[in-house]
Amino acid sequence: MPPHILSSVPRKLHLQPAHPVSLVRQLLEQQFPNPTFRHINALDPVVSTAQNFDSLGFPDDHPGRARSDTYYINRTTLLRTHTSAHQAEAFAGVTAEQPGYLISADVYRRDAIDRTHYPVFHQTEGALVWDREALGVRDVADKVYADLAALPDHDIVVEDVNPPFHAVRNPRQERWHSEAECAAIGAHLKRSLELLVVRIFGLARAAARRASQGVPGGDEPLKVRWVEAYFPFTSPSWELEVFHEGAWLEILGCGVVRQELLNASAPASVREPTNWSSGWAFGIGLERIAMLLFRIPDIRLFWSTDQRFLSQFKSLQGPRGDGDLSGLEQGLRPFVPFSKYPACVKDVSFWVPGPTTTSSAAGGNPTRDDSQSFHENDVMEVVRAAAGDLVEDVRLVDQFVHPKTRRRSLCYRVSYRSLERTLTNIEANEMHDAVVRLLVERLGVEIR
Ligand code: FA5
Ligand code: MG
């Protein structure tokens, strides 16, 4: 367990008053309010493989389970890789009065290094179920459509080219859900999340207007699209993407909850646990939302204790404390980056000892277990160990296989940049030398 990960555990940015991650958590709590949604914010990040994977139906060979993707404490204990680790317990706690929940927490993943990925980040998991027994119906489609009709409309254009479910690409759970029920739950889920995006961008727009100097991209029309996805614990599943600074940025994953999971977590009050309810769940990255809302250019900034960062959010937390976002409504302005310090860019090329595999997310399609072989995330971990938050980006720029020896060569380009000061070339060279040394020591590569 790397020291820079362990030292992040007590930070709990989602609970720090006026921290941008906390402000986004509060915004989500307003959008998915009590009493319908129970708000849960203090769950321990140390969970079991049963919670993080087994209860969610991850197959044994899913890449998310690999040591290259997950921070393990021992064989069966790890730092949660997503808030979905708590789904089973949370579903067991729903009631007729409180059929939904919202869990916000810190999560940990070995992952790429760039401006939108960090090994510790925060997620909010939301879910809502319709209880057949409590509603006195066998099919909840009509009730879900009635609830959908009660949600506000919006006028943003959302690209959504796929059908509500697809037999091969994104199947309905035929054994449990009628076509109408599956379509209704998907539609309610999508509208609920689109309304969240409308709220966030409404606030961001107002902020851009308030800032007289004009913000790059501030008047860009909002572009949003739904894409089909795969998660072992939902079907059908989707991800929502927002067009941001020239590229599609994924902000959340979601879907219709797998019935096996709901059946296994029926609350004690339920008489017949088999197919007692059906519903939706989503998981959203709080840093990603905060980057869009406040126009924060680099995910490392969230961990900064520099007052030039933190002071810009102080007035956004209202006087009544947690839950009071009056400051955000009235006074939000885009984040003003402190002057941009220069980057030092260095390359490293090496021969790899075994076959190379690429990164995977919590949901990715199952493939074979590559925990024994060389993995790109190990390169990322080595760079973090040597450079901490002074690394901005690590990118594979070249690779080739030697025609005779069949050995594979990789070249990574590492950008070093401090967010708070100018790095000297001597410092950057020292860090890069440490990277090279650790690559050899820990991964057994041969430098070219
Ligand atoms: C999940 O983690 C699923 N548990 C989400 C889910 C919940 C699906 C419930 C269905 C039902 P995913 O790996 O795509 O999915 O991550 C969800 C979000 O977390 C991403 O969309 C992104 O906003 C954020 N995220 C993922 N990796 C990182 C990272 N390294 N740094 C910052 N944010 C990240
Ligand atoms: Mg994803």
Side-chain angles (χ1 to χ4, degrees):
M1 188 71 68
H4 63 270
I5 295 300
L6 279 182
S7 63
S8 308
V9 172
R11 295 281 299 274
K12 309 278 173 232
L13 301 183
H14 66 295
L15 300 177
Q16 297 303 315
H19 192 282
V21 170
S22 167
L23 295 168
V24 171
R25 190 253 313 154
Q26 295 171 55
L27 202 56
L28 273 143
E29 290 178 347
Q30 280 189 354
Q31 196 69 24
F32 297 96
N34 255 309
T36 305
F37 294 87
R38 185 159 68 106
H39 297 163
I40 307 167
N41 290 324
L43 294 173
D44 196 280
V46 178
V47 301
S48 63
T49 44
Q51 289 171 291
N52 202 79
F53 298 121
D54 304 345
S55 70
L56 295 161
F58 278 69
D60 284 343
D61 60 354
H62 192 282
R65 291 183 184 258
R67 285 172 57 186
S68 55
D69 286 46
T70 297
Y71 293 107
Y72 279 90
I73 293 162
N74 60 39
R75 242 178 187 298
T76 54
T77 314
L78 51 92
L79 291 178
R80 69 181 151 229
T81 64
H82 54 176
T83 42
S84 302
H86 303 288
Q87 269 191 19
E89 306 139 67
F91 281 129
V94 306
T95 60
E97 300 73 42
Q98 207 156 44
Y101 62 80
L102 214 55
I103 300 171
S104 301
D106 40 329
V107 303
Y108 300 79
R109 279 188 205 176
R110 291 159 152 266
D111 209 332
I113 297 180
D114 62 34
R115 281 151 197 261
T116 61
H117 289 84
Y118 199 80
V120 189
F121 60 102
H122 297 77
Q123 286 186 336
T124 291
E125 183 100 356
L128 183 61
V129 299
W130 285 266
D131 180 335
R132 299 178 204 283
E133 266 177 30
L135 294 167
V137 291
R138 296 182 65 180
D139 189 306
V140 300
D142 289 344
K143 173 65 176 140
V144 177
Y145 275 125
D147 289 349
L148 174 61
L151 291 178
D153 272 327
H154 64 70
D155 56 7
I156 58 166
V157 181
V158 182
E159 186 187 307
D160 190 4
V161 297
N162 294 300
F165 47 87
H166 184 279
V168 182
R169 296 193 314 264
N170 212 7
R172 162 174 69 99
Q173 300 170 53
E174 283 177 28
R175 175 158 174 221
W176 305 108
H177 307 147
S178 70
E179 291 194 8
E181 189 173 285
C182 177
I185 291 173
H188 190 279
L189 168 63
K190 286 177 174 174
R191 174 81 67 79
S192 303
L193 292 168
E194 288 164 7
L195 289 168
L196 172 70
V197 170
V198 167
R199 176 95 200 283
I200 290 161
F201 281 87
L203 288 166
R205 279 275 146 76
R209 276 196 299 272
R210 239 173 249 128
S212 47
Q213 73 271 36
V215 177
D219 302 323
E220 218 179 78
L222 176 57
K223 278 208 292 187
V224 183
R225 71 177 182 193
W226 285 106
V227 297
E228 292 179 337
Y230 168 80
F231 299 100
F233 38 96
T234 51
S235 194
S237 308
W238 303 276
E239 285 179 339
L240 184 60
E241 299 184 340
V242 174
F243 199 73
H244 177 61
E245 286 172 1
W248 289 100
L249 179 69
E250 178 202 315
I251 59 168
L252 64 89
C254 66
V256 177
V257 182
R258 283 215 81 99
Q259 202 59 44
E260 294 78 6
L261 204 156
L262 280 175
N263 293 351
S265 355
S269 58
V270 169
R271 268 170 283 129
E272 175 44 63
T274 306
N275 210 15
W276 63 282
S277 68
S278 64
W280 52 245
F282 69 83
I284 191 164
L286 296 186
E287 280 85 351
R288 297 267 171 98
I289 298 298
M291 291 174 88
L292 295 167
L293 177 59
F294 303 110
R295 299 194 161 266
I296 294 172
D298 190 305
I299 196 164
R300 291 176 292 165
L301 279 163
F302 294 106
W303 298 90
S304 172
T305 51
D306 191 319
Q307 283 306 317
R308 288 176 295 175
F309 177 74
L310 293 173
S311 66
Q312 296 196 30
F313 307 95
K314 284 251 162 71
S315 67
L316 303 181
Q317 183 79 70
R320 280 172 290 117
D322 201 85
D324 179 359
L325 294 178
S326 53
L328 185 74
E329 312 272 356
Q330 288 147 27
L332 175 64
R333 280 164 192 279
F335 174 67
V336 183
F338 358 124
S339 54
K340 188 156 184 174
Y341 302 96
C344 293
V345 179
K346 316 245 171 228
D347 288 357
V348 56
S349 300
F350 52 82
W351 296 107
V352 173
T356 308
T357 56
T358 49
S359 176
S360 58
N365 279 311
T367 57
R368 70 184 204 286
D369 183 352
D370 287 300
S371 56
Q372 294 314 305
S373 60
F374 179 88
H375 195 292
E376 176 163 289
N377 284 348
D378 296 333
V379 176
M380 304 294 165
E381 207 58 57
V382 159
V383 181
R384 285 258 182 243
D389 278 358
L390 296 177
V391 55
E392 174 174 89
D393 191 275
V394 180
R395 193 170 309 188
L396 183 66
V397 287
D398 190 34
Q399 58 176 322
F400 84 100
V401 176
H402 191 282
K404 290 227 177 77
T405 64
R406 306 303 301 160
R407 286 214 294 172
R408 189 210 275 273
S409 162
L410 302 175
C411 177
Y412 282 93
R413 181 155 298 162
V414 186
S415 274
Y416 301 93
R417 191 200 304 266
S418 168
L419 295 164
E420 290 157 9
R421 63 192 174 82
T422 299
L423 281 185
T424 65
N425 203 38
I426 296 175
E427 270 178 294
N429 279 336
E430 276 171 10
M431 280 188 284
H432 199 64
D433 289 347
V435 166
V436 170
R437 219 169 33 241
L438 285 179
L439 283 171
V440 174
E441 259 171 48
R442 292 198 188 164
L443 308 184
V445 307
E446 186 187 324
I447 303 294
R448 296 187 54 202

